[in-house]
Amino acid sequence: MTLSIRNQLPGTVTSVTAGEAMASVKVRLAGGQDITAAITTDAVKDLGLAEGSAVEALVKSTEVALATGPVEGISIRNQLAGSVTEVTTGGAMGSVKVSVAGGELTAAITKDAVEDLGLNAGTSVVALIKSTEISLASA
Protein backbone atom coordinates (compact mmCIF):
# COMPACT_ATOMS: atom_id res chain seq x y z
CA MET A 1 0.00 0.00 0.00
CA THR A 2 1.23 3.50 -0.83
CA LEU A 3 0.49 6.37 1.57
CA SER A 4 0.58 10.13 1.08
CA ILE A 5 1.93 10.47 4.62
CA ARG A 6 5.56 11.56 4.18
CA ASN A 7 6.45 11.51 7.86
CA GLN A 8 7.19 7.87 8.64
CA LEU A 9 9.59 7.38 11.53
CA PRO A 10 10.69 3.88 12.57
CA GLY A 11 10.69 2.95 16.23
CA THR A 12 10.02 0.38 18.93
CA VAL A 13 7.12 0.32 21.38
CA THR A 14 8.38 0.85 24.94
CA SER A 15 5.01 0.75 26.72
CA VAL A 16 1.29 0.42 26.12
CA THR A 17 -1.28 1.77 28.59
CA ALA A 18 -4.73 0.73 27.40
CA GLY A 19 -8.07 2.01 28.59
CA GLU A 20 -11.53 0.96 27.51
CA ALA A 21 -11.55 3.06 24.32
CA MET A 22 -8.11 4.65 23.94
CA ALA A 23 -4.50 3.67 24.56
CA SER A 24 -1.30 5.59 25.13
CA VAL A 25 1.60 3.98 23.27
CA LYS A 26 5.14 5.15 23.96
CA VAL A 27 7.66 4.65 21.18
CA ARG A 28 11.44 5.04 21.10
CA LEU A 29 12.31 6.31 17.64
CA ALA A 30 15.34 4.98 15.78
CA GLY A 31 17.06 8.32 16.45
CA GLY A 32 16.68 7.87 20.23
CA GLN A 33 13.81 10.31 20.85
CA ASP A 34 10.66 9.22 22.69
CA ILE A 35 7.17 10.00 21.40
CA THR A 36 3.69 9.09 22.56
CA ALA A 37 0.79 8.14 20.29
CA ALA A 38 -2.83 8.16 21.47
CA ILE A 39 -4.64 5.50 19.44
CA THR A 40 -7.71 3.35 19.95
CA THR A 41 -7.47 0.24 22.08
CA ASP A 42 -8.91 -1.67 19.11
CA ALA A 43 -5.94 -0.51 16.99
CA VAL A 44 -3.53 -1.79 19.65
CA LYS A 45 -5.25 -5.19 19.51
CA ASP A 46 -5.52 -5.25 15.70
CA LEU A 47 -1.83 -4.42 15.27
CA GLY A 48 -0.74 -6.72 18.11
CA LEU A 49 1.22 -3.91 19.75
CA ALA A 50 3.19 -4.69 22.89
CA GLU A 51 6.49 -3.65 24.41
CA GLY A 52 9.21 -4.43 21.86
CA SER A 53 6.95 -4.26 18.77
CA ALA A 54 8.56 -2.60 15.74
CA VAL A 55 6.37 0.24 14.44
CA GLU A 56 6.33 3.16 12.05
CA ALA A 57 5.07 6.45 13.50
CA LEU A 58 2.99 8.22 10.84
CA VAL A 59 2.28 11.96 10.99
CA LYS A 60 0.60 14.08 8.32
CA SER A 61 2.64 17.15 7.36
CA THR A 62 -0.25 19.44 8.27
CA GLU A 63 -0.07 18.12 11.85
CA VAL A 64 3.57 19.15 12.40
CA ALA A 65 4.00 22.60 13.96
CA LEU A 66 7.42 24.24 14.25
CA ALA A 67 9.00 26.39 16.94
CA THR A 68 12.47 27.89 17.11
CA GLY A 69 13.12 26.27 20.51
CA PRO A 70 11.58 23.97 23.11
CA VAL A 71 8.12 25.06 24.24
CA GLU A 72 7.16 24.74 27.90
CA GLY A 73 3.77 25.03 29.53
CA ILE A 74 1.81 23.23 26.79
CA SER A 75 0.32 19.76 26.65
CA ILE A 76 2.26 18.79 23.52
CA ARG A 77 4.78 16.25 24.80
CA ASN A 78 6.21 15.26 21.43
CA GLN A 79 8.92 17.82 20.75
CA LEU A 80 11.61 16.66 18.35
CA ALA A 81 14.67 18.87 17.92
CA GLY A 82 16.09 19.23 14.43
CA SER A 83 17.24 21.63 11.77
CA VAL A 84 15.63 22.92 8.60
CA THR A 85 17.05 21.40 5.43
CA GLU A 86 14.74 22.99 2.86
CA VAL A 87 11.97 25.60 2.66
CA THR A 88 9.54 25.97 -0.25
CA THR A 89 6.84 28.62 -0.14
CA GLY A 90 3.88 29.45 -2.33
CA GLY A 91 1.28 32.16 -2.12
CA ALA A 92 -0.21 31.01 1.20
CA MET A 93 1.57 27.89 2.42
CA GLY A 94 5.08 26.60 2.93
CA SER A 95 6.66 23.17 3.03
CA VAL A 96 9.53 22.89 5.49
CA LYS A 97 11.77 19.83 5.58
CA VAL A 98 13.37 19.16 8.94
CA SER A 99 16.19 16.74 9.70
CA VAL A 100 15.78 15.00 13.08
CA ALA A 101 17.92 12.26 14.57
CA GLY A 102 17.03 9.08 12.70
CA GLY A 103 14.86 10.64 10.01
CA GLU A 104 13.28 13.59 8.29
CA LEU A 105 9.95 15.37 8.81
CA THR A 106 7.97 17.66 6.55
CA ALA A 107 5.83 20.42 8.05
CA ALA A 108 3.12 22.13 6.00
CA ILE A 109 2.74 25.56 7.63
CA THR A 110 1.59 28.97 6.49
CA LYS A 111 3.90 31.21 4.50
CA ASP A 112 3.38 33.82 7.25
CA ALA A 113 4.72 31.37 9.86
CA VAL A 114 7.77 30.63 7.70
CA GLU A 115 8.49 34.36 7.50
CA ASP A 116 7.64 35.14 11.15
CA LEU A 117 9.97 32.37 12.40
CA GLY A 118 12.72 33.29 9.91
CA LEU A 119 12.99 29.70 8.66
CA ASN A 120 15.80 28.94 6.25
CA ALA A 121 18.06 25.97 5.62
CA GLY A 122 20.16 25.51 8.76
CA THR A 123 17.67 27.07 11.19
CA SER A 124 17.37 25.06 14.43
CA VAL A 125 13.75 24.12 15.14
CA VAL A 126 11.60 21.90 17.33
CA ALA A 127 8.82 19.90 15.68
CA LEU A 128 5.69 19.82 17.83
CA ILE A 129 3.26 16.92 17.34
CA LYS A 130 0.20 16.18 19.48
CA SER A 131 -0.11 12.54 20.58
CA THR A 132 -3.54 12.32 18.96
CA GLU A 133 -1.98 13.21 15.59
CA ILE A 134 0.41 10.24 15.53
CA SER A 135 -0.79 6.99 13.98
CA LEU A 136 1.13 3.75 14.29
CA ALA A 137 1.65 1.00 11.74
CA SER A 138 3.27 -2.32 12.43
CA ALA A 139 6.69 -2.48 10.80
Side-chain angles (χ1 to χ4, degrees), residues 7-17 23-39 49 53 55-60 64 75-81 100-102 105 126-137:
N7 299 322
Q8 299 183 27
L9 302 171
T12 304
V13 173
T14 57
S15 73
V16 177
T17 304
S24 175
V25 181
K26 293 188 180 184
V27 175
R28 168 76 38 95
L29 297 177
Q33 314 93 320
D34 293 312
I35 62 167
T36 301
I39 63 175
L49 297 181
S53 296
V55 294
E56 293 281 331
L58 308 172
V59 186
K60 290 174 55 177
V64 178
S75 64
I76 299 175
R77 300 277 186 257
N78 299 318
Q79 299 191 26
L80 305 176
V100 298
L105 294 172
V126 175
L128 308 168
I129 310 165
K130 291 173 51 177
S131 298
T132 53
E133 303 305 336
I134 296 176
S135 299
L136 297 178

Side-chain angles (χ1 to χ4, degrees), residues 62-133:
T62 53
E63 303 304 336
V64 178
L66 297 176
T68 54
V71 181
E72 295 183 22
I74 62 172
S75 64
I76 299 175
R77 300 277 186 257
N78 299 318
Q79 299 191 26
L80 305 176
S83 64
V84 174
T85 59
E86 183 181 331
V87 177
T88 305
T89 57
M93 296 294 293
S95 175
V96 181
K97 292 187 180 180
V98 178
S99 175
V100 298
E104 183 174 89
L105 294 172
T106 299
I109 62 176
T110 65
K111 179 182 174 186
D112 289 344
V114 169
E115 293 170 354
D116 289 350
L117 295 174
L119 301 180
N120 294 297
T123 303
S124 293
V125 293
V126 175
L128 308 168
I129 310 165
K130 291 173 51 177
S131 298
T132 53
E133 303 305 336

